[in-house]
Coordinates of all heavy atoms in Angstrom, one line a residue:
P13 N 45.1 -6.3 -8.2 CA 45.8 -6.3 -6.9 C 46.7 -7.4 -6.5 O 47.6 -7.3 -5.8 CB 44.7 -6.0 -6.0 CG 43.4 -5.9 -6.7 CD 43.7 -6.2 -8.1
S14 N 46.4 -8.7 -6.9 CA 47.1 -9.7 -6.5 C 48.3 -10.0 -7.4 O 49.1 -10.9 -7.2 CB 46.1 -11.1 -6.7 OG 45.8 -11.3 -8.1
R15 N 48.5 -9.1 -8.4 CA 49.8 -9.3 -9.3 C 50.8 -8.4 -8.9 O 50.6 -7.1 -8.7 CB 49.3 -9.0 -10.7 CG 50.5 -9.1 -11.7 CD 50.1 -8.7 -13.2 NE 48.9 -9.3 -13.6 CZ 48.8 -10.5 -14.4 NH1 50.0 -11.0 -14.7 NH2 47.8 -10.9 -14.8
A16 N 52.1 -8.9 -8.6 CA 53.1 -8.0 -8.3 C 53.7 -7.5 -9.7 O 53.7 -8.2 -10.7 CB 54.2 -8.9 -7.7
T17 N 54.0 -6.2 -9.7 CA 54.4 -5.4 -10.9 C 55.8 -5.7 -11.2 O 56.7 -5.5 -10.4 CB 54.1 -4.0 -10.8 OG1 52.7 -3.8 -10.4 CG2 54.4 -3.3 -12.1
A18 N 56.0 -6.2 -12.4 CA 57.5 -6.3 -13.0 C 57.7 -5.0 -13.9 O 56.8 -4.7 -14.7 CB 57.6 -7.5 -13.7
F19 N 58.9 -4.5 -13.7 CA 59.3 -3.3 -14.5 C 60.1 -3.6 -15.7 O 60.2 -3.0 -16.7 CB 59.8 -2.2 -13.7 CG 58.7 -1.6 -12.7 CD1 58.9 -2.0 -11.4 CD2 57.8 -0.7 -13.2 CE1 57.9 -1.5 -10.4 CE2 56.9 -0.3 -12.3 CZ 56.9 -0.6 -11.0
Y20 N 60.9 -4.8 -15.6 CA 61.8 -5.2 -16.6 C 62.0 -6.8 -16.5 O 61.7 -7.4 -15.4 CB 63.1 -4.5 -16.6 CG 63.9 -4.7 -15.3 CD1 64.7 -5.7 -15.1 CD2 63.7 -3.8 -14.3 CE1 65.4 -6.0 -13.9 CE2 64.3 -3.9 -13.1 CZ 65.2 -5.0 -12.9 OH 65.8 -5.3 -11.7
C21 N 62.3 -7.4 -17.5 CA 62.6 -8.8 -17.5 C 63.9 -9.2 -16.7 O 64.9 -8.5 -17.0 CB 62.7 -9.3 -19.0 SG 63.2 -11.1 -19.0
P22 N 63.9 -10.1 -15.8 CA 65.0 -10.4 -15.0 C 66.1 -11.1 -15.8 O 67.2 -11.3 -15.4 CB 64.5 -11.3 -13.8 CG 63.3 -11.8 -14.3 CD 62.6 -10.8 -15.3
Y23 N 65.8 -11.6 -17.0 CA 66.7 -12.5 -17.9 C 67.4 -11.5 -19.0 O 68.5 -11.7 -19.1 CB 65.9 -13.6 -18.5 CG 65.3 -14.5 -17.6 CD1 63.9 -14.4 -17.2 CD2 66.0 -15.5 -16.9 CE1 63.4 -15.3 -16.3 CE2 65.5 -16.2 -15.9 CZ 64.1 -16.3 -15.7 OH 63.6 -17.1 -14.7
C24 N 66.6 -10.7 -19.6 CA 67.2 -9.8 -20.7 C 67.2 -8.4 -20.4 O 67.9 -7.7 -21.1 CB 66.6 -10.3 -22.0 SG 65.0 -9.5 -22.3
G25 N 66.5 -8.0 -19.3 CA 66.4 -6.5 -19.1 C 65.4 -5.8 -19.9 O 65.3 -4.5 -19.7
D26 N 64.8 -6.4 -20.8 CA 63.9 -5.5 -21.6 C 62.5 -5.2 -20.9 O 62.3 -5.8 -19.9 CB 63.5 -6.4 -22.8 CG 62.7 -5.5 -23.9 OD1 63.3 -4.4 -24.1 OD2 61.9 -6.1 -24.7
E27 N 61.9 -4.2 -21.4 CA 60.7 -3.6 -20.6 C 59.3 -3.9 -21.3 O 58.3 -3.4 -20.9 CB 60.8 -2.1 -20.5 CG 62.1 -1.7 -19.5 CD 62.2 -0.2 -19.5 OE1 61.4 0.6 -20.2 OE2 63.1 0.2 -18.7
D28 N 59.4 -4.8 -22.4 CA 58.2 -5.2 -23.1 C 57.6 -6.4 -22.4 O 57.8 -7.5 -22.8 CB 58.6 -5.4 -24.6 CG 57.4 -5.9 -25.4 OD1 56.3 -5.5 -25.0 OD2 57.5 -6.4 -26.4
L29 N 56.8 -6.1 -21.3 CA 56.2 -7.2 -20.6 C 54.7 -7.2 -20.7 O 54.2 -6.2 -20.8 CB 56.6 -7.0 -19.1 CG 58.0 -7.0 -18.7 CD1 58.2 -6.7 -17.3 CD2 58.7 -8.3 -19.3
R30 N 54.2 -8.4 -20.8 CA 52.8 -8.6 -21.0 C 52.2 -9.6 -20.0 O 52.7 -10.5 -19.7 CB 52.5 -9.2 -22.4 CG 53.0 -8.2 -23.6 CD 52.9 -8.9 -24.9 NE 53.8 -8.0 -25.8 CZ 54.3 -8.5 -26.9 NH1 54.2 -9.7 -27.2 NH2 55.0 -7.7 -27.6
P31 N 51.1 -9.2 -19.4 CA 50.5 -10.1 -18.3 C 50.1 -11.4 -18.9 O 49.6 -11.5 -20.0 CB 49.3 -9.3 -17.9 CG 49.4 -7.8 -18.4 CD 50.3 -7.9 -19.5
E32 N 50.4 -12.4 -18.1 CA 49.9 -13.8 -18.5 C 49.0 -14.4 -17.4 O 48.7 -13.7 -16.5 CB 51.1 -14.8 -18.7 CG 51.9 -14.5 -19.8 CD 51.3 -15.1 -21.1 OE1 50.9 -16.3 -21.1 OE2 51.2 -14.3 -22.1
K33 N 48.5 -15.6 -17.6 CA 47.6 -16.1 -16.6 C 48.3 -16.5 -15.3 O 49.6 -16.6 -15.3 CB 47.1 -17.5 -17.1 CG 46.2 -17.4 -18.4 CD 45.8 -18.7 -18.8 CE 45.0 -18.6 -20.2 NZ 44.7 -19.9 -20.6
D34 N 47.6 -16.5 -14.3 CA 48.1 -16.9 -12.9 C 49.1 -15.9 -12.4 O 50.0 -16.4 -11.7 CB 48.5 -18.3 -12.8 CG 47.5 -19.2 -13.2 OD1 46.3 -18.9 -12.8 OD2 47.7 -20.2 -13.8
G35 N 49.1 -14.6 -12.7 CA 50.1 -13.7 -12.2 C 51.4 -13.6 -12.9 O 52.4 -13.1 -12.3
A36 N 51.6 -14.3 -14.0 CA 52.9 -14.3 -14.7 C 53.1 -13.2 -15.7 O 52.0 -12.5 -16.0 CB 53.1 -15.7 -15.3
W37 N 54.2 -13.1 -16.2 CA 54.6 -12.1 -17.1 C 55.3 -12.6 -18.2 O 56.1 -13.6 -18.1 CB 55.4 -11.0 -16.5 CG 54.8 -10.1 -15.4 CD1 54.9 -10.4 -14.1 CD2 53.9 -9.1 -15.7 NE1 54.1 -9.5 -13.5 CE2 53.5 -8.6 -14.4 CE3 53.6 -8.3 -16.8 CZ2 52.8 -7.5 -14.2 CZ3 52.8 -7.2 -16.6 CH2 52.3 -6.8 -15.3
L38 N 55.0 -12.3 -19.5 CA 55.7 -12.8 -20.7 C 56.6 -11.5 -21.2 O 56.1 -10.5 -21.4 CB 54.7 -13.1 -21.8 CG 55.3 -13.2 -23.2 CD1 56.1 -14.4 -23.3 CD2 54.0 -13.3 -24.2
C39 N 57.9 -11.9 -21.4 CA 58.7 -10.9 -22.0 C 58.6 -10.9 -23.5 O 58.7 -12.0 -24.1 CB 60.1 -11.2 -21.6 SG 61.4 -10.0 -22.3
G40 N 58.4 -9.9 -24.2 CA 58.1 -9.7 -25.6 C 59.5 -9.9 -26.4 O 59.5 -10.3 -27.5
S41 N 60.5 -9.8 -25.7 CA 61.9 -9.9 -26.3 C 62.4 -11.2 -26.3 O 62.7 -11.7 -27.4 CB 62.9 -8.9 -25.6 OG 64.1 -8.9 -26.2
C42 N 62.6 -11.8 -25.2 CA 63.2 -13.1 -25.1 C 62.1 -14.3 -25.0 O 62.5 -15.4 -24.8 CB 64.2 -13.3 -23.9 SG 63.4 -13.2 -22.3
R43 N 60.9 -13.9 -24.9 CA 59.7 -14.8 -24.8 C 59.7 -15.7 -23.6 O 59.0 -16.8 -23.5 CB 59.8 -15.7 -26.0 CG 59.7 -15.0 -27.3 CD 58.6 -14.0 -27.6 NE 57.3 -14.8 -27.6 CZ 56.2 -14.2 -27.6 NH1 56.0 -12.9 -27.6 NH2 55.1 -14.9 -27.6
R44 N 60.4 -15.3 -22.5 CA 60.4 -16.1 -21.3 C 59.2 -15.6 -20.4 O 58.8 -14.4 -20.6 CB 61.6 -15.9 -20.4 CG 62.9 -16.5 -21.0 CD 64.0 -16.3 -20.1 NE 65.1 -17.1 -20.4 CZ 66.3 -16.7 -21.1 NH1 66.4 -15.5 -21.3 NH2 67.2 -17.6 -21.4
V45 N 58.6 -16.5 -19.8 CA 57.4 -16.4 -18.8 C 57.9 -16.5 -17.4 O 58.5 -17.5 -17.1 CB 56.2 -17.3 -19.2 CG1 55.2 -17.1 -18.1 CG2 55.6 -17.1 -20.6
F46 N 57.7 -15.5 -16.5 CA 58.1 -15.6 -15.2 C 57.0 -14.9 -14.3 O 56.2 -14.3 -14.8 CB 59.5 -14.9 -15.0 CG 59.5 -13.5 -15.4 CD1 59.2 -12.4 -14.4 CD2 59.6 -12.9 -16.7 CE1 59.1 -11.1 -14.7 CE2 59.6 -11.6 -17.0 CZ 59.4 -10.6 -16.0
S47 N 57.3 -15.1 -13.0 CA 56.3 -14.5 -12.0 C 57.1 -13.7 -11.0 O 58.4 -14.0 -10.7 CB 55.5 -15.5 -11.4 OG 56.2 -16.4 -10.7
V48 N 56.6 -12.8 -10.4 CA 57.2 -12.0 -9.4 C 56.3 -12.2 -8.0 O 55.1 -12.0 -8.2 CB 57.3 -10.4 -9.7 CG1 57.8 -9.7 -8.6 CG2 58.0 -10.2 -10.9
T49 N 57.0 -12.5 -7.0 CA 56.2 -12.7 -5.7 C 56.7 -11.7 -4.6 O 57.9 -11.7 -4.4 CB 56.5 -14.2 -5.1 OG1 56.0 -15.1 -6.3 CG2 55.7 -14.4 -4.0
F50 N 55.8 -11.1 -4.0 CA 56.0 -10.2 -2.9 C 55.9 -10.9 -1.6 O 54.8 -11.4 -1.4 CB 55.1 -9.0 -2.9 CG 55.4 -8.1 -1.8 CD1 56.6 -7.2 -1.7 CD2 54.5 -8.0 -0.7 CE1 56.7 -6.4 -0.7 CE2 54.7 -7.2 0.4 CZ 55.9 -6.3 0.5
I51 N 57.0 -11.1 -1.0 CA 56.9 -12.0 0.3 C 56.5 -11.1 1.6 O 55.7 -11.5 2.3 CB 58.2 -12.7 0.6 CG1 58.5 -13.7 -0.6 CG2 58.3 -13.5 1.8 CD1 59.8 -14.3 -0.6
G52 N 57.0 -9.9 1.7 CA 56.7 -9.1 2.8 C 57.8 -8.0 3.1 O 58.8 -8.1 2.3
L53 N 57.7 -7.5 4.2 CA 58.7 -6.6 4.6 C 59.3 -7.1 5.9 O 58.6 -7.6 6.7 CB 58.1 -5.2 4.9 CG 57.5 -4.5 3.8 CD1 56.8 -3.1 4.4 CD2 58.6 -4.0 2.7
Q54 N 60.7 -6.8 6.0 CA 61.3 -7.3 7.2 C 61.9 -6.0 7.9 O 62.8 -5.3 7.3 CB 62.5 -8.2 6.8 CG 63.2 -8.7 8.1 CD 64.3 -9.8 7.7 OE1 64.4 -10.1 6.6 NE2 64.9 -10.3 8.7
I55 N 61.5 -5.8 9.1 CA 61.9 -4.7 9.8 C 63.1 -5.3 10.7 O 62.9 -6.0 11.5 CB 60.8 -4.1 10.8 CG1 59.7 -3.8 9.9 CG2 61.3 -3.0 11.6 CD1 58.3 -3.3 10.6
P56 N 64.3 -4.5 10.7 CA 65.4 -4.9 11.5 C 65.2 -4.8 13.0 O 64.6 -3.7 13.4 CB 66.5 -4.1 11.0 CG 65.9 -2.9 10.3 CD 64.6 -3.3 9.8
E57 N 65.6 -5.8 13.7 CA 65.5 -5.7 15.2 C 66.5 -4.6 15.8 O 67.7 -4.6 15.3 CB 65.6 -7.0 15.9 CG 64.6 -8.0 15.5 CD 64.7 -9.2 16.2 OE1 65.4 -9.3 17.3 OE2 64.3 -10.3 15.7
V58 N 66.1 -3.8 16.7 CA 67.0 -2.8 17.2 C 67.5 -3.4 18.6 O 66.8 -3.8 19.4 CB 66.2 -1.5 17.5 CG1 67.2 -0.5 18.2 CG2 65.8 -1.0 16.3

């Protein structure tokens, strides 16, 4: 539950992602490790 889901690599666009330690993701294509952080929702003021 504490891991934000990544659907593709933000660097190369590949979908071969593997979970790493501390909520990070490893791209199997370009071998970059990155994390995704969900900050929250912003509701526009009316």
Side-chain angles (χ1 to χ4, degrees):
S14 63
R15 182 186 305 267
T17 303
F19 295 103
Y20 59 89
C21 175
Y23 299 100
C24 71
D26 197 33
E27 296 178 356
D28 182 17
L29 302 178
R30 300 170 192 156
E32 285 285 310
K33 295 179 184 176
D34 299 323
W37 294 93
L38 166 67
C39 176
S41 180
C42 69
R43 306 302 295 171
R44 288 184 169 106
V45 177
F46 63 92
S47 64
V48 177
T49 303
F50 176 74
I51 296 173
L53 298 174
Q54 183 175 0
I55 300 172
E57 295 182 22
V58 177

